[in-house]
Amino acid sequence: MRTPMDNSGDKELKKAKNYCVRLLSIRPRSEREVETRLRTRGCGGRTLKRAIESLKEDGLVNDLEFAREWVDSRIRSSPRGKRMLAAELEKKGITRDVVRKAMEERSADLDERVVTAGLIRKKLSFEKRSTHAKLKGKIFRFLAGKGFDPEIAEEVINEILGV
């Protein structure tokens, strides 16, 4: 037998799930991101847990899939070093094990020497002629800001510039 209280809980759960479906239609989100957004809307306790579990069961919230998509997106549009990429995912609440698995699956596309060389060549195509020292420093700072390993960056810069 249902009590009026049970009906209220069902309404809150339905409201929370509907909000999440709208939220997830914009872009994929990690479990922690969804949880944070629900909390800001005043959802908590059992309703929050039930909503998250329901979304996971329906396949709408999946941290491994989210991490895979994040890595793929970064590879395509905004390359980052492995350390920075891992930090971004951890900031979004993805566990280190899940981050490691997602990055291992895309390891061929995350080869820092290859990605670094591609970014350097792209940067050089936009640079006006300047001294090698100035250019080397500018490119090095650019790559460091993207989280690439400094030793790899310097080696690849020297190879490409013929220094």
Side-chain angles (χ1 to χ4, degrees):
M1 181 170 172
R2 289 202 139 165
T3 64
M5 233 11 190
D6 291 338
N7 195 23
S8 171
D10 288 345
K11 284 182 184 177
E12 288 298 314
L13 178 61
K14 186 174 182 178
K15 186 176 173 183
K17 284 180 61 178
N18 286 339
Y19 169 72
C20 290
V21 168
R22 286 192 314 273
L23 188 66
L24 292 166
S25 71
I26 297 168
R27 72 165 176 86
R29 296 175 196 270
S30 68
E31 182 178 337
R32 187 168 81 188
E33 287 180 304
V34 171
E35 182 180 325
T36 300
R37 293 295 290 263
L38 284 172
R39 285 188 192 283
T40 60
R41 291 184 58 101
C43 183
R46 188 163 185 225
T47 302
L48 176 70
K49 280 186 174 184
R50 288 176 60 202
I52 296 286
E53 286 306 313
S54 178
L55 292 167
K56 287 168 71 173
E57 288 171 10
D58 294 341
L60 296 174
V61 173
N62 179 326
D63 280 354
L64 179 57
E65 190 57 37
F66 173 82
R68 286 174 179 147
E69 289 180 29
W70 187 267
V71 170
D72 287 345
S73 172
R74 284 297 193 208
I75 289 168
R76 280 189 317 273
S77 63
S78 185
R80 300 279 191 260
K82 291 177 185 177
R83 289 178 301 168
M84 185 175 277
L85 190 55
E88 287 177 345
L89 286 167
E90 288 175 14
K91 187 176 180 181
K92 294 191 170 293
I94 308 298
T95 65
R96 285 188 179 169
D97 289 339
V98 172
V99 169
R100 187 172 22 259
K101 184 171 182 172
M103 289 177 69
E104 283 173 2
E105 291 175 2
R106 306 301 194 267
S107 63
D109 296 322
L110 292 172
D111 181 336
E112 288 203 359
R113 292 187 68 75
V114 173
V115 176
T116 301
L119 285 171
I120 292 169
R121 286 186 180 94
K122 184 176 179 182
K123 190 83 170 154
L124 285 173
S125 70
F126 293 109
E127 287 297 320
K128 293 187 172 117
R129 292 288 167 203
S130 60
T131 67
H132 276 311
K134 269 185 165 179
L135 193 55
K136 183 178 175 180
K138 192 172 189 177
I139 293 171
F140 186 83
R141 286 187 299 279
F142 167 74
L143 294 170
K146 294 217 174 260
F148 287 96
D149 183 286
E151 291 175 12
I152 292 174
E154 186 167 8
E155 287 174 21
V156 177
I157 291 169
N158 289 338
E159 285 173 19
I160 291 175
L161 293 177
V163 178

